[in-house]
């Protein structure tokens, strides 16, 4: 693109603003929302804060030293923001540790080669000696169940159904494939298998194994389960075609330690007119252990903190109480979300809405809402003042995990929806690092959440 | 995000599809557009082709060996696609070469340090000896013109107005700042300056200088002009505060060689009913010399080729002629676009629409259109079948440079609009490389263009 685009670009920008906002009255809401976005883009702090969280603190799996440091640092960060209240909520969390780096090898007639794997979160280990066995490749649980048990017993089941690339919303492909990771080990063990290897939940072809939580079931033998990179999965599948008698060997030694004490971190600005009505914004502070947890979910936490900072920076005094919650343990237990809801009920708190950002720090596209229809309609009508900022997709849909336990007819559970295309390249993998986050995209997300909080604060939710 | 999101994600995706497409009739257009996107996401070839263009061919400035190779390769690529016609259009292009890598140093009282610069495209050199001079920092041309000429004469003018981060559409910030690069050297020379240093057109803070075209003016002394990285610009500005008497020294030795022979590359599927009505899709094949030209504009070229491949793959026989044009020399002359329009007029060709992708291979957001109002309205009405694919911003706005010379009341000039947030991080800089492109985002762009071409082909444009 060259310089003559100057005029074109200006035309584009003005026109797009114009026609997307054609129904918009140039009222106070539009002015305030414009101020929110300008402050975020010019002076936003979530990017700098995320840099610190990712590079000075790093991985934050529940029970880890990183998680504890993140709790202390975010509490201090909010304590320095002039909020009305900053506090911790105690929560007991699972404490799983990966142990020594995993190893895996494919030994076929033709070759012997290492492939990248990682233990799934919650998995048991193989012991110090590798688990070595023949491999049965399947695409679905139905296919596995239809096999002769004798052909599965003692083997490693290789779940190799790729995420379906045809979905426009990448999360839908995730939803359709993730049962292999979450309960594959149960299905494999029921057939007598000795282990489970799962194709990484990744829409790209690369060498990163993607971890994520998996479960065992009472009464079903626990077997070791690991993720293999998408390139590794394709290699294994090709070699199995050539040599069905090949052996797969892997070693992993994670451990589940006793539950540990951890915390949700909470900060709030008290409402001036209706302090009893709470509007929550949140993310989860824990991350998987393999990376910095930049998109999942340092981004969401820093955006949730930024909502309060933007209100302060703009001297906006909310009518209702605006509360930022950084939940602990979303990834492997949801204990923070459950504890928060338990305390909210105990304290008879009245939440009118809860917005969670847990789909990455990408360019904003909208909000998806779980609520009675009339509440969804009220929020969707605000599209006229939000669409100029790229927020077109506003309507019924899923919330996010941590806020789920707050569900009732009184509350709107709202998932912030950034663009989904890049999320599953980095999700739960070592590549989920700060350098994969674009400053403008991240700051626009915090501004989008703030704009919605502002509207909820101004008008409440009937 | 953890596994329980499975249901949530599915809900989100279905719901978003649902409510964004609420006015959509489940007709043949929706079915065809769904097929286009499925084919692109599952089997798209633009990403693989872009990999070849970027890594096997590389930089492609007009007149360079890379540009010539790109012409030959894309011609061969289209020749193997079973199209009705593939041909070249000869075009004489400017031939500017950068020469030896540039060097720059700031010498202040306190220190002497190197900073990253690059010659602007079209600039003259400093000679082998560095151009060393005191520095005058300005933000605008008005500020410069208001200075005492004696305080500028013999010095280096440092244009340091940052792109305004507050714009939501990043291109608007570019439009507002780029005059510093394009005509800064003219303004500086008019005041007697010896050289011009321009803050890179970059919305990020980093160490990459961004090149781009600049101009001289008949009768105004030609002075050397270079871009300095945003970090370098901030450093220079800070040091100037401390020591207004500091000196800036830089060496660059680009040359303008005689015009060279090059080509536009054209491939088409002939229309079955109205072969005389042409729908053009294009990008520009040349790139700046510093990088692989991945987003600018290998992406657009590979998407334009993909439009034809998708039609072939889906056995779609267009009624009208669908023509892919890879323009040469968009970056520093627009000769390809001018030549194409000249030949189209000479051959009395009837173009009903021209779509250009030249804003990066990012996630699609819409199309901006230059055309009589009733044509814009007709295209905007297709939003009901395009919005489910994230294409919300469809309406009046700028086209792109290469198709500009085709402008008339008979044609709609259409710019494909991907998300703009990341574009100016890499634009014209050494970081515009293949690894900065996401496969899904790129393929969705080609599919979006194909969907619009399909609708234009089905209904024509009244």
């Amino acid at each position: 693109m060259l310089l003559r685009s100057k005029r074109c670009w200006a035309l584009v920008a003005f026109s797009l603003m114009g026609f997307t906002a054609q129904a918009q009255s140039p009222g106070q809401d539009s002015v305030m929302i414009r101020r929110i976005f300008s402050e975020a883009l010019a002076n936003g702090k979530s990017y700098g804060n995320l840099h610190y969280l990712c590079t000075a603190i790093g991985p934050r799996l529940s029970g880890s030293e990183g998680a504890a440091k993140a709790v202390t640092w975010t509490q201090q960060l909010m304590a320095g923001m002039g909020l009305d209240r900053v506090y911790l909520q105690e929560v007991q969390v699972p404490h799983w540790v990966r142990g020594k780096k995993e190893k895996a090898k494919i030994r076929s007639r033709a070759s012997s080669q290492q492939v990248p794997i990682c233990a799934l979160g919650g998995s048991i280990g193989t012991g110090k000696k590798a688990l070595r066995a023949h491999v049965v490749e399947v695409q679905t649980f139905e296919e596995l169940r239809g096999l002769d048990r004798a052909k599965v017993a003692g083997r490693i089941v290789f779940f190799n159904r790729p995420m379906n690339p045809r979905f426009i919303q990448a999360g839908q492909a995730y939803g359709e494939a993730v049962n292999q990771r979450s309960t594959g080990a149960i299905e494999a063990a029921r057939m007598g298998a000795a282990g489970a290897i799962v194709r990484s939940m990744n829409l790209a072809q690369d060498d990163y194994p993607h971890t994520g939580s998996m479960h065992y079931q009472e009464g079903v033998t626990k077997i070791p389960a690991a993720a293999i990179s998408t390139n590794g999965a394709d290699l294994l599948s090709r070699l199995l075609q050539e040599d069905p008698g090949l052996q797969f060997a892997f070693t992993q030694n994670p451990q589940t330690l006793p539950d540990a004490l951890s915390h949700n971190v909470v900060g709030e600005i008290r409402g001036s007119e209706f302090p009893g009505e709470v509007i929550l914004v949140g993310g989860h502070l824990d991350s998987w252990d393999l990376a910095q947890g930049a998109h999942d979910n340092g981004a969401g936490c820093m955006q949730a903190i930024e909502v309060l900072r933007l209100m302060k920076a703009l001297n906006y005094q909310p009518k209702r109480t605006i509360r930022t919650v950084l939940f602990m343990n979303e990834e492997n237990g949801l204990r923070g979300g459950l504890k928060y809801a338990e305390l909210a009920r105990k304290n008879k708190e009245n939440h009118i809405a809860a917005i969670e950002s847990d789909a990455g720090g990408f360019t904003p596209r909208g909000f998806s809402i779980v609520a009675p229809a009339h509440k969804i309609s009220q929020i969707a009508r605000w599209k006229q003042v939000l669409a100029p900022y790229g927020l077109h997709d506003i309507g019924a849909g899923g919330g996010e995990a941590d806020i789920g336990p707050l569900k009732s007819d009184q509350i709107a559970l709202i998932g912030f929806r950034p663009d989904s295309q890049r999320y599953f390249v980095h999700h739960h993998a070592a590549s989920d690092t700060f350098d994969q986050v674009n400053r403008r995209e991240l700051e626009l997300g915090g501004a989008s959440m703030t704009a919605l909080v502002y509207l909820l604060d101004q008008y409440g939710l009937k």
Side-chain angles (χ1 to χ4, degrees), chain A:
Chain A
M1 205 182 71
L2 88 172
L3 74 106
R4 82 190 56 216
S5 302
K6 181 188 170 181
R7 258 183 229 148
C8 293
W9 269 111
L11 265 171
V12 173
F14 281 119
S15 305
L16 290 179
M17 294 292 284
F19 73 76
T20 55
Q22 55 195 335
Q24 176 185 335
S25 66
Q28 159 196 328
D29 293 340
S30 293
V31 171
M32 180 63 188
I33 292 170
R34 180 63 259 190
R35 289 180 64 213
I36 290 168
F37 277 88
S38 290
E39 169 64 20
L41 286 168
N43 307 310
K45 297 287 180 282
S46 59
Y47 188 69
N49 287 336
L50 184 62
H51 181 257
Y52 186 90
L53 181 71
C54 288
T55 60
I57 295 179
R60 306 172 295 281
L61 190 58
S62 291
S64 69
E65 195 185 330
K69 281 185 186 170
V71 166
T72 303
W73 176 68
T74 50
Q75 184 186 20
Q76 285 169 350
L77 181 63
M78 288 202 279
M81 286 169 59
L83 306 178
D84 296 316
R85 199 174 162 217
V86 176
Y87 57 100
L88 302 181
Q89 292 179 329
E90 290 194 353
V91 49
Q92 290 289 328
V93 295
H95 190 189
W96 179 85
V97 292
R98 184 171 299 279
K100 216 173 136 189
K101 191 165 165 50
E102 307 84 344
K103 278 189 188 168
K105 201 174 257 190
I106 305 171
R107 283 171 194 252
S108 69
R109 279 196 307 262
S111 66
S112 170
Q113 44 194 314
Q114 293 198 337
V115 281
I117 67 156
C118 67
L120 292 179
S123 176
I124 62 166
T126 55
K128 282 192 181 163
K129 229 181 118 202
L131 167 59
R132 177 176 309 177
H134 294 295
V135 176
V136 182
E137 176 178 346
V138 297
Q139 295 267 317
T140 64
F141 292 168
E142 293 64 36
E143 182 187 347
L144 174 63
R145 291 171 196 153
L147 294 176
D148 184 351
R149 204 176 191 283
K151 290 201 170 163
V152 180
R155 299 196 171 198
I156 291 169
V157 175
F158 168 36
F159 293 99
N160 193 29
R161 183 169 83 257
M163 286 173 74
N164 183 344
R166 293 168 190 81
F167 289 111
I168 306 302
Q169 303 291 335
Q172 205 169 349
Y174 180 68
E176 217 197 41
V178 73
N179 67 338
Q180 300 173 96
R181 187 193 80 205
S182 55
T183 58
I186 299 170
E187 296 285 334
R190 277 192 183 132
M191 296 291 286
I197 297 292
V198 181
R199 181 188 184 91
S200 284
M201 300 295 119
N202 181 4
L203 278 161
Q205 286 298 134
D206 62 33
D207 295 318
Y208 290 98
H210 292 227
T211 191
S213 66
M214 56 81 67
H215 299 287
Y216 293 118
Q217 189 171 297
E218 193 74 29
V220 180
T221 308
K222 292 183 178 184
I223 59 173
I228 185 170
S229 70
T230 47
N231 282 344
D234 284 354
L235 175 68
L236 178 56
S237 185
R238 197 167 65 244
L239 292 174
L240 276 169
Q241 294 281 329
E242 294 168 15
D243 177 9
L246 67 72
Q247 287 201 313
F248 192 88
F250 72 109
T251 316
Q252 61 183 32
N253 282 293
Q255 277 185 284
T256 299
L257 306 176
D259 283 1
L261 176 65
S262 188
H263 304 84
N264 295 329
V265 185
V266 187
E268 69 185 39
I269 303 174
R270 194 175 157 81
S272 59
E273 288 183 40
F274 314 107
E277 292 191 20
V278 178
I279 300 167
L280 182 156
V281 284
H284 65 84
L285 198 51
D286 62 311
S287 79
W288 280 105
D289 57 324
L290 294 175
Q292 297 172 353
H295 283 292
D296 190 12
N297 181 237
C301 290
M302 298 307 102
Q303 288 169 329
I305 292 174
E306 185 70 1
V307 170
L308 300 182
R309 193 199 69 81
L310 286 168
M311 293 194 155
K312 285 282 177 185
L314 297 171
N315 288 314
Y316 179 75
Q317 171 57 57
K319 302 178 190 178
R320 295 169 168 84
T321 293
I322 314 300
R323 182 182 293 170
T324 288
V325 183
L326 312 180
F327 296 96
M328 183 50 65
N329 187 228
E330 192 265 2
E331 293 294 1
N332 59 340
L334 206 72
R335 300 277 185 85
L338 293 164
K339 173 59 75 177
Y340 181 86
E342 177 195 322
L343 293 174
R345 272 191 301 273
K346 193 176 142 194
N347 298 327
K348 300 197 191 325
E349 288 183 338
N350 174 23
H351 288 71
I352 67 165
I355 306 170
E356 183 163 9
S357 167
D358 185 20
F362 305 101
T363 209
R365 306 220 59 154
F367 297 99
S368 59
I369 310 162
V370 178
H374 66 280
K375 288 185 195 283
I376 296 177
S377 299
Q378 183 186 331
I379 296 170
R381 278 196 296 276
W382 291 330
K383 190 151 58 171
Q384 61 178 330
V385 287
L386 296 173
Y389 302 92
L391 298 162
H392 294 278
D393 295 336
I394 305 176
E400 287 288 359
D402 296 297
I403 56 178
L406 289 170
K407 191 171 192 312
S408 83
D409 280 352
Q410 308 312 310
I411 188 173
L413 303 178
I414 304 172
F416 166 59
R417 295 283 149 226
D419 194 80
S420 68
Q421 303 311 328
R422 286 176 285 151
Y423 191 50
F424 292 97
V425 179
H426 307 297
H427 183 245
H428 297 184
S431 67
D432 185 9
T433 48
F434 179 72
D435 60 303
Q436 295 301 326
V437 179
N438 174 273
R439 185 179 59 78
R440 287 176 59 86
E441 294 189 349
L442 182 75
E443 302 289 0
L444 284 169
S448 298
M449 291 161 69
T450 307
L452 181 56
V453 167
Y454 161 79
L455 291 165
L456 286 162
D457 181 56
Q458 282 293 304
Y459 301 103
L461 203 54
K462 307 296 183 294

